Amino acid sequence: MVNKFYPETFLKEPEPTIGGVNISYLGEKYGTPLYILDKKTLVIQAQKYINSWKTYYKNEYKVLFAVKALPVLEVIRIFHNLGLGILVSTGGELYISRAAGVNPQSIYFHGNAKTLKELEYAINENIAGIIIDNFDEFEKIKYLVNKKNTRTNVLVRIIPNIEVKTHTSIRTGQTDTKFGLPIVQAYDLIKKILQEKNLNFKGIHSHIGSQIFDITAYVKLAEVLSEVYKDLKDSTKVQEMSIGGGLGVAYTSEDNPPEVEDLAKEVSAKFKETVGHSFTIICEPGRSLVGRAGITLYRIESRKELPNVRKYVAVDGGMSDNIRPSLYGAKYSALVISKDQNHVTTYSIAGKHCESGDILIKDFIDSWPKVGDYLITFTTGAYNFSMFTWYNATLRPAIVLVDNGEDKLIVKRDSYEDLLRGQI
Ligand SMILES: Cc1ncc(COP(=O)(O)O)c(C=O)c1O
């Protein structure tokens, strides 16, 4: 059976390959830990978003790659060439996106604590829209555009009051959240924006969380956005509305993420029923574009058996290259590449970092590997590289892109000298 968390081109037999390239060969060539990205999965996921909105939404649509999930030049270029825009959350992400050659008119900027410097950068770059999160940010933008006597496009982020079933750290649409404004306050902010000659109000932004499996949460969101659209109808034209990102992916065989197509279908149907397709719809996927495209390759460094307690297998990476298990208790699937498939047993896969919580998978069942064998973890394309931490002065792993039997280095592995960069 093909697992839901496998990248499109992953084959387990006779030896594990991805993009037509032998995975052990990649380990020998580039070393480990190694992030490996399957280009075909990236392209297929992007096309799913584009084709689904094209089919179901009868007006303009914009698919923005939430670059925080994987801020890598080559990945940004792949998506931008397919017609995707980019959503950034910091000046740094804006810088990387511009360095990748993204047209500023395809870039939107969100975030709850943008600095004056970041806002100035975004205004100077003339990006497509700044998503205002709060009144203080409005004052900063107003100050900047008036000082420069330039106009900028803005959207306003609302709190839609929708609670989704996902980890509390990645839930954002509920009443108590640091992101956005309650709808009534958002209306006050919009009134202020409409009085400013240098601010061009474009529309409404929302985002209900991440790793969401329930499409009905987006349908509820569409209902809320429709009400907002109607409420604002007499005072201004809402040209754009964003439903955010957040669609989930499969990390284990228990996960059943919805189809991208169903998201577009259900949301478009709801808007058709309420206010029609009278505005440009924006969606901002991160995880669902890149998550399944990525795997991480480790080498096994040590094993131990605590009698009547637990067996451990330790790899040459861990919470530095994948902080999600220790941060949220996130679950992952893995595969040992071992010549000895006989002795199957249960063990914990531990990282190499100086924290007891640095466990990648707690109860993993596979063959008992040898030191030097390879181990793959799946669905590591999103929020692994981007959440890298150099705890224990760890070297950031390389990223290799595979496609059609070819492998290409797209991010170099850190060296010891890189650890000293900036240190005096
Ligand atoms: C405003 C906004 N949009 C989009 C995303 C992307 O979310 P995901 O990677 O779950 O699709 C995020 C992620 O946190 C976000 O904060």
Side-chain angles (χ1 to χ4, degrees):
M1 192 196 80
V2 175
N3 277 307
K4 286 171 283 183
F5 48 81
Y6 284 173
E8 288 292 328
T9 64
F10 178 82
L11 293 175
K12 189 176 167 190
E13 313 281 355
E15 278 190 67
T17 59
I18 181 168
V21 185
N22 184 295
I23 292 176
S24 301
Y25 159 80
L26 292 173
E28 298 306 317
K29 181 166 174 185
Y30 297 102
T32 51
L34 180 66
Y35 295 117
I36 305 170
L37 272 182
D38 179 33
K39 184 169 177 186
K40 193 162 179 196
T41 310
L42 297 176
V43 171
I44 285 177
Q45 290 305 107
Q47 283 169 342
K48 275 188 201 166
Y49 272 99
I50 294 167
N51 295 336
S52 303
W53 289 116
K54 197 183 277 173
T55 307
Y56 296 106
Y57 197 73
K58 302 299 168 206
N59 198 339
E60 206 188 325
Y61 59 87
K62 292 183 180 176
V63 180
L64 311 180
F65 168 43
V67 76
K68 66 176 87 170
L70 189 57
V72 170
L73 294 179
E74 182 74 10
V75 174
I76 297 170
R77 284 189 287 252
I78 291 170
F79 287 144
H80 196 43
N81 287 340
L82 291 169
L84 268 58
I86 302 292
L87 177 76
V88 302
S89 63
T90 60
E93 289 178 359
L94 174 56
Y95 181 79
I96 294 178
S97 303
R98 292 289 292 124
V102 176
N103 176 346
Q105 278 301 306
S106 311
I107 301 178
Y108 287 75
F109 186 9
H110 79 102
N112 67 315
K114 302 181 194 81
T115 65
L116 199 64
K117 220 169 160 183
E118 287 177 315
L119 291 166
E120 186 166 25
Y121 180 25
I123 291 166
N124 287 345
E125 290 287 305
N126 192 23
I127 67 168
I130 300 176
I131 297 157
I132 305 184
D133 178 273
N134 54 70
F135 286 94
D136 291 322
E137 182 181 339
F138 162 76
E139 294 297 336
K140 289 183 211 173
I141 297 175
K142 187 173 116 181
Y143 163 77
L144 287 167
V145 289
N146 289 342
K147 189 175 84 168
K148 290 171 187 297
N149 199 19
T150 180
R151 250 169 96 75
T152 201
N153 294 330
V154 295
L155 292 87
V156 170
R157 179 163 180 171
I158 60 156
I159 301 175
N161 281 338
I162 293 170
E163 211 141 311
V164 289
K165 288 190 209 88
T166 188
H167 193 282
T168 48
S169 304
I170 51 175
R171 230 186 254 167
T172 54
Q174 69 280 11
T175 326
D176 184 356
T177 171
K178 69 170 186 163
F179 297 107
L181 287 173
I183 292 174
V184 174
Q185 287 185 21
Y187 290 164
D188 288 341
L189 176 58
I190 293 165
K191 267 192 213 135
K192 284 172 176 277
I193 292 170
L194 293 175
Q195 284 161 15
E196 294 301 318
K197 67 176 186 346
N198 285 331
L199 294 182
N200 180 26
F201 176 69
K202 294 284 279 188
I204 299 294
H205 177 272
S206 63
H207 172 69
I208 51 179
S210 200
Q211 187 57 356
I212 296 168
F213 284 1
D214 179 11
I215 296 279
T216 61
Y218 290 98
V219 175
K220 275 191 214 142
L221 176 62
E223 275 169 16
V224 172
L225 289 172
S226 303
E227 289 308 309
V228 171
Y229 186 89
K230 286 186 209 159
D231 287 347
L232 292 172
K233 207 165 69 170
D234 293 335
S235 47
T236 183
K237 167 109 184 86
V238 175
Q239 297 167 54
E240 300 185 334
M241 290 224 264
S242 176
I243 60 164
L247 208 64
V249 297
Y251 286 95
T252 69
S253 44
E254 277 97 64
D255 291 339
N256 284 308
E259 293 295 329
V260 171
E261 186 180 357
D262 289 335
L263 172 72
K265 189 174 166 186
E266 302 290 325
V267 167
S268 300
K270 179 48 75 181
F271 279 127
K272 188 167 176 217
E273 180 191 312
T274 53
V275 290
H277 295 172
S278 33
F279 51 87
T280 298
I281 194 153
I282 301 177
C283 75
E284 312 160 357
R287 190 189 308 273
S288 54
L289 282 174
V290 296
R292 190 167 59 93
I295 62 172
T296 305
L297 187 66
Y298 301 100
R299 218 181 246 276
I300 286 154
E301 295 295 343
S302 67
R303 305 159 308 164
K304 66 183 62 158
E305 202 169 334
L306 311 182
N308 304 320
V309 180
R310 178 175 292 281
K311 291 178 185 150
Y312 284 97
V313 163
V315 297
D316 55 357
M319 65 188 289
S320 55
D321 59 79
N322 185 0
I323 201 168
R324 299 185 66 258
S326 37
L327 193 63
Y328 315 134
K331 299 221 170 355
Y332 279 85
S333 304
L335 177 74
V336 163
I337 308 181
S338 173
K339 298 273 177 276
D340 174 17
Q341 295 292 338
N342 304 322
H343 181 130
V344 172
T345 183
T346 304
Y347 48 91
S348 289
I349 302 172
K352 68 180 272 124
H353 297 283
C354 303
E355 293 272 315
S356 298
D358 180 26
I359 302 289
L360 288 172
I361 303 180
K362 193 161 175 224
D363 293 306
F364 179 63
I365 304 172
D366 204 336
S367 47
W368 182 241
K370 294 191 186 61
V371 168
D373 282 349
Y374 289 115
L375 181 132
I376 299 167
T377 50
F378 293 93
T379 333
T380 60
Y383 304 109
N384 276 217
F385 173 83
S386 61
M387 287 185 157
F388 173 80
T389 128
W390 66 309
Y391 178 48
N392 295 140
T394 303
L395 305 182
R396 192 172 69 174
I399 307 185
V400 172
L401 185 75
V402 291
D403 190 34
N404 273 327
E406 287 181 9
D407 51 279
K408 175 168 135 187
L409 185 68
I410 59 169
V411 176
K412 277 194 225 160
R413 184 178 301 284
D414 275 355
S415 64
Y416 281 143
E417 296 84 72
D418 290 322
L419 298 176
L420 300 182
R421 195 167 23 135
Q423 297 215 28
I424 295 165

